[in-house]
């Protein structure tokens, strides 16, 4: 079952110092490494006022006898954890304290440690292969900055069939999403140790090919509302970027239905493109880190690939991977038909929650090439 990281490799200060214990840098190409433009909100580049606020928050943690293990199962450094909450609340100490207390209460109500002792099928109450048939999704390696890379074929998301699988409601799907978020945290933690850099966010590729207005049913909106609210409130500052590809011509209307669910910080991390998405994927992620059916050079994501094989091994569930893979092999998973990423010129720009078509890709700054340590091979293909 769930195995916690060894405390011997945790950068964990029992005295709750406001100074960082972890001496890793942020990867180049991430906000934490951009000392010129990150507003003095990250470790080793904190402004004097923000350092004072972090110190005040750290002292409050000690005074209130708050156990930060109740706030996260995978703590690389306590200061990094507190800074995530401070950034999410614009360094407002009062709001940050309330946020921390609320999240600890929520995590206790969800019994996260016990949840992580279950495997996905126990949480879902159905076969993982059945879910993948109606919602293809994978963790597949890491991007050029070392962030865990997640793929979700949202266009193939069949809300009616998923509701049937879940027994007529979405409670088990929301619990499964909690599991996914905790897994992402663990992947970030392990990747930080592997690359000797601070990895605390993920990159998500959303493939919306086939998404239509009729897909956005009341059930779909209700489920997305639950997931988005959970991500923004309970897992603050864990999203690096979202790359949406294969956006159909009606996507601005679809996005308009979902836009009210997004806060401006999340919306600003979204890049959207039609079928002409190869350049965007290359600049945002790196083709050498992408599967073949997403313009890359790695083996394609198919039904033969377990959605969370690497994570299952980390969590002590590696023996289940092969069994689930055998079932997945019987499932026909939707594939991207345009593997070149060189399609139409339609581009969508998302700025502070507004989505408008444009004729150019805009200012997409390529990220620097990764260090060799940030490019682990993807070994979990069957």
């Amino acid at each position: 079952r769930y195995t916690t990281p060894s405390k011997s490799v945790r950068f964990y200060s029992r005295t709750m110092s406001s100074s960082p214990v972890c001496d890793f840098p942020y990867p180049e190409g991430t906000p934490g490494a951009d000392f010129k433009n990150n507003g003095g909100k990250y470790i080793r580049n904190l402004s004097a006022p923000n350092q004072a606020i972090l110190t005040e928050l750290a002292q409050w943690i000690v005074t209130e006898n708050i156990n930060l293990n109740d706030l996260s199962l995978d703590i690389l450094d306590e200061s990094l954890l507190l800074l995530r909450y401070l950034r999410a609340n614009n360094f407002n100490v009062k709001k940050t304290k309330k946020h921390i207390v609320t999240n600890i209460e929520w995590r206790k109500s969800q019994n996260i440690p016990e949840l992580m002792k279950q495997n996905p099928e126990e949480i879902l109450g159905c076969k993982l292969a059945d879910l993948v048939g109606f919602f293809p999704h994978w963790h597949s390696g890491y991007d050029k900055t070392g962030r865990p890379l997640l793929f979700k074929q949202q266009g193939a998301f069949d809300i009616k069939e998923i509701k049937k699988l879940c027994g007529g409601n979405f409670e088990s799907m929301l619990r499964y999403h909690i599991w996914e978020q905790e897994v992402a945290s663990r992947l970030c933690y392990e990747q930080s140790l592997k690359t000797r850099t601070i990895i605390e966010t993920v990159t998500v590729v959303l493939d919306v090919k086939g998404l239509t207005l009729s897909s956005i049913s009341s059930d779909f909106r209700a489920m997305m509302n639950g997931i988005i609210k959970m991500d923004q409130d309970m897992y603050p500052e864990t999203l690096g970027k979202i790359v949406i590809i294969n956006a159909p011509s009606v996507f601005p209307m679809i996005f308009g239905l979902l836009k009210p669910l997004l806060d401006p910080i999340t919306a600003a991390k979204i890049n959207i493109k039609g079928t002409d998405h190869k350049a965007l994927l290359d600049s945002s992620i790196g083709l050498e880190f992408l599967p073949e059916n997403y313009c890359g050079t790695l083996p394609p994501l198919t039904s033969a690939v377990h959605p969370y094989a690497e994570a299952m091994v980390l969590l002590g569930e590696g023996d289940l991977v092969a069994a689930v893979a055998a079932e997945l092999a019987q499932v026909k998973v939707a594939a991207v038909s345009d593997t070149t990423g060189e399609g139409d010129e339609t581009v969508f720009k998302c700025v502070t929650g507004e989505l408008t078509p444009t004729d150019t890709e805009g200012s997409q700054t390529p990220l620097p090439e990764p260090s060799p340590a940030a490019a682990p091979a993807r070994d979990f293909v069957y």
Side-chain angles (χ1 to χ4, degrees):
R1 300 304 187 187
Y2 184 81
T3 55
T4 57
S6 169
K7 286 184 182 280
S8 63
V9 295
R10 284 194 184 193
F11 295 92
Y12 190 79
S13 168
R14 295 188 180 280
T15 58
M16 192 53 250
S17 168
S18 61
S19 300
V21 182
C22 174
D23 61 357
F24 295 167
Y26 277 97
E28 289 298 319
T30 62
D34 187 1
F35 284 7
K36 184 177 180 180
N37 300 305
N38 66 19
K41 297 179 180 180
Y42 291 81
I43 282 290
R44 281 179 292 284
N45 190 43
L46 283 174
S47 65
N50 288 344
Q51 178 64 63
I53 290 171
L54 174 60
T55 300
E56 178 184 346
L57 185 64
Q59 291 172 345
W60 172 76
I61 293 291
V62 173
T63 301
E64 296 298 319
N65 196 28
I66 292 174
N67 184 353
L68 289 181
N69 288 297
D70 292 333
L71 194 62
S72 174
L73 295 179
D74 303 289
I75 301 176
L76 184 68
D77 186 299
E78 291 170 327
S79 294
L80 294 174
L81 177 61
L82 295 183
L83 281 169
R84 275 181 37 219
Y85 279 82
L86 283 168
R87 288 195 297 271
N89 291 280
N90 200 26
F91 279 77
N92 182 306
V93 176
K94 184 177 180 179
K95 290 182 178 179
T96 302
K97 290 178 180 178
K98 182 178 180 181
H99 196 172
I100 289 173
V101 170
T102 298
N103 277 19
I104 288 177
E105 291 175 349
W106 175 80
R107 291 177 66 85
K108 288 181 177 179
S109 73
Q110 298 297 322
N111 202 348
I112 303 295
E114 287 302 312
L115 175 72
M116 296 310 294
K117 292 178 182 179
Q118 296 179 282
N119 63 55
E121 294 191 345
E122 290 170 335
I123 296 169
L124 288 164
C126 67
K127 295 290 187 181
L128 186 58
D130 291 338
L131 176 63
V132 171
F134 302 119
F135 178 36
H137 61 288
W138 303 269
H139 160 244
S140 178
Y142 303 84
D143 70 9
K144 61 172 65 178
T145 68
R147 290 168 171 155
L149 186 55
L150 307 177
F151 290 83
K152 300 178 185 290
Q153 290 189 358
Q154 209 69 43
F157 192 92
D158 191 327
I159 191 66
K160 291 182 179 179
E161 294 298 329
I162 290 173
K163 188 173 183 178
K164 291 178 184 177
L165 283 177
C166 295
N169 60 66
F170 302 113
E171 181 62 29
S172 60
M173 273 296 290
L174 291 176
R175 296 276 288 169
Y176 175 61
H177 189 67
I178 295 173
W179 183 90
E180 290 186 294
Q181 285 286 38
E182 295 296 318
V183 160
S185 174
R186 181 63 180 273
L187 290 169
C188 287
Y189 176 89
E190 298 290 346
Q191 186 70 354
S192 295
L193 297 179
K194 184 173 184 178
T195 64
R196 310 290 294 180
T197 58
I198 298 171
I199 308 295
E200 55 187 0
T201 58
V202 302
T203 294
V204 181
V205 177
L206 287 184
D207 184 354
V208 294
K209 180 180 180 179
L211 196 65
T212 65
L213 282 173
S214 62
S215 303
I216 315 301
S217 64
S218 59
D219 279 343
F220 183 93
R221 290 196 299 272
M223 185 169 176
M224 288 300 106
N225 180 61
I227 288 175
I228 291 171
K229 181 172 176 57
M230 182 192 300
D231 290 351
Q232 294 179 160
D233 295 349
M234 305 306 172
Y235 296 93
E237 290 290 303
T238 57
L239 173 66
K241 66 179 66 174
I242 296 178
V243 182
I244 299 178
I245 61 172
N246 291 317
S249 59
V250 297
F251 194 74
M253 297 178 65
I254 295 173
F255 190 83
L257 297 173
L258 300 175
K259 181 179 67 177
L261 306 178
L262 302 173
D263 64 35
I265 295 176
T266 300
K269 296 177 179 180
I270 298 176
N271 288 280
I272 307 173
K273 203 69 157 54
T275 56
D276 182 25
H277 50 253
K278 184 175 182 178
L280 176 59
L281 288 175
D282 189 20
S283 63
S284 299
I285 297 168
L287 298 185
E288 66 270 36
F289 301 95
L290 290 162
E292 288 180 7
N293 50 336
Y294 285 99
C295 312
T297 59
L298 295 177
L301 293 175
T302 69
S303 58
V305 180
H306 188 289
Y308 283 102
E310 182 177 348
M312 293 290 282
V313 172
L314 286 175
L315 300 180
E317 295 279 11
D319 57 323
L320 295 179
V321 173
V324 173
E327 294 174 344
L328 287 169
Q330 307 302 315
V331 178
K332 184 178 181 181
V333 174
V336 179
S337 58
D338 179 8
T339 59
T340 65
E342 298 171 351
D344 64 73
E345 295 296 326
T346 304
V347 183
F348 301 97
K349 294 181 68 178
C350 179
V351 182
T352 61
E354 297 297 325
L355 185 64
T356 54
T358 180
D359 294 327
T360 61
E361 188 167 311
S363 56
Q364 181 72 31
T365 305
L367 299 174
E369 290 300 312
S371 63
R378 186 157 63 82
D379 299 323
F380 298 94
V381 177
Y382 304 93

